[in-house]
Amino acid sequence: MASVRERGGVPPIDREEVRFRVWVAVASGVLAAIVLTWAGPRLYAESEAYSAYRAGRLVQKPATVFEINYSVGTGGPYSGTSVSQKVRYLPSSGGERTSSTEDGYASVKVSEGQAVELGLWDEKVISVDGQYVRDPWTPGALAVSTLLPPAFVLMVLQFHGLWRLRTDRPKHLFGRTRSRGYALAALLSAFVTGLVAAVVGGALWLPAQALVASALAPLAWYTLRETIDRRADRRGQHRPT
């Protein structure tokens, strides 16, 4: 492995480690950007709509059920067979609104010609006669969204490691800083907090608060450990980790 000479008391830098850290930082950053671009708008829309529903802030409009369609397919989100319902409404104010549910979740029990009350958010049907009619995220969508916290944590730790390499002794990617451990902690935290939010809070997707907490908690613990280690280094009493 190539390295530069020690200058001014600064330990030599392992170029291979620098390149590896840069590669990991860029790869994790790209992954985080992709997941955020995909999940961000969906998460915002679902969170705002659900919050408006829980707080009673939906725009209420009377409407008439115009048409009801059912379709059966394979490869549904929760089983081999998917049953979808699509209901079309004609609001008294004009226009047309549609509610769609898959696999029987939150299926609306209405009949054609029936008068109903629609709860709208951003012109989308969120509730029908007080019943929440938005589908939950599929397991695949939930799994993809849990990748955001560990990818972000891994990116931050690698960039911090590169900054530390300027003055500190080189440390391996999964050595003292334990980047992998913090990333796995973020992934586990996202899964657990999402599960708690679904079971306790009734959330139908991974809440933004769960994603933020899952990323900040490991970073806060990392910052605390780094602060303690730096103080120990200055005293010449650094404990092995």
Side-chain angles (χ1 to χ4, degrees), residues 35-56:
V35 175
L36 183 61
T37 301
W38 178 85
R42 293 168 173 80
L43 183 60
Y44 170 78
E46 296 293 353
S47 300
E48 287 296 311
Y50 191 66
S51 297
Y53 168 74
R54 294 288 296 269

Side-chain angles (χ1 to χ4, degrees), residues 1-234:
M1 294 186 181
S3 61
V4 298
R5 290 185 307 171
E6 182 174 345
R7 297 179 180 179
V10 178
I13 296 177
D14 188 332
R15 295 187 183 276
E16 288 296 328
E17 182 175 358
V18 170
R19 283 194 288 266
F20 194 36
R21 282 187 180 272
V22 169
W23 182 88
V24 173
V26 172
S28 57
V30 170
L31 176 60
I34 292 174
V35 175
L36 183 61
T37 301
W38 178 85
R42 293 168 173 80
L43 183 60
Y44 170 78
E46 296 293 353
S47 300
E48 287 296 311
Y50 191 66
S51 297
Y53 168 74
R54 294 288 296 269
R57 293 186 283 104
L58 297 177
V59 177
Q60 302 295 323
K61 286 188 177 182
T64 302
V65 178
F66 172 64
E67 184 180 58
I68 305 174
N69 291 312
Y70 292 93
S71 60
V72 179
T74 58
Y78 305 111
S79 64
T81 301
S82 174
V83 180
S84 302
Q85 180 198 56
K86 182 176 181 180
V87 184
R88 298 169 62 190
Y89 309 91
L90 296 178
S92 58
S93 58
E96 181 180 313
R97 298 290 184 272
T98 303
S99 68
S100 299
T101 59
E102 294 186 5
D103 207 29
Y105 184 88
S107 181
V108 185
K109 297 180 180 179
V110 295
S111 56
E112 294 183 1
Q114 179 179 339
V116 296
E117 189 83 7
L118 301 181
L120 305 179
W121 178 85
D122 195 25
E123 298 302 318
K124 297 181 178 63
V125 177
I126 306 301
S127 68
V128 177
D129 284 342
Q131 177 187 348
Y132 191 76
V133 295
R134 298 284 289 182
D135 275 327
W137 281 13
T138 64
L142 290 172
V144 170
S145 61
T146 59
L147 295 177
L148 181 57
F152 178 76
V153 167
L154 192 58
M155 177 189 69
V156 171
L157 294 188
Q158 295 316 304
F159 278 122
H160 179 258
L162 289 170
W163 179 77
R164 290 287 301 273
L165 283 174
R166 299 182 309 164
T167 56
D168 294 350
R169 186 178 301 280
K171 303 175 180 63
H172 294 292
L173 178 66
F174 297 141
R176 175 181 163 188
T177 57
R178 297 183 178 179
S179 302
R180 178 173 56 184
Y182 290 106
L184 290 176
L187 179 62
L188 180 61
S189 178
F191 175 79
V192 172
T193 52
L195 183 62
V196 171
V199 174
V200 178
L204 306 177
W205 53 90
L206 192 61
Q209 296 89 333
L211 293 174
V212 174
S214 299
L216 293 185
L219 289 178
W221 178 244
Y222 172 81
T223 302
L224 177 62
R225 286 179 60 89
E226 281 291 298
T227 301
I228 294 174
D229 288 347
R230 277 179 173 274
R231 290 178 179 176
D233 284 339
R234 285 196 292 268

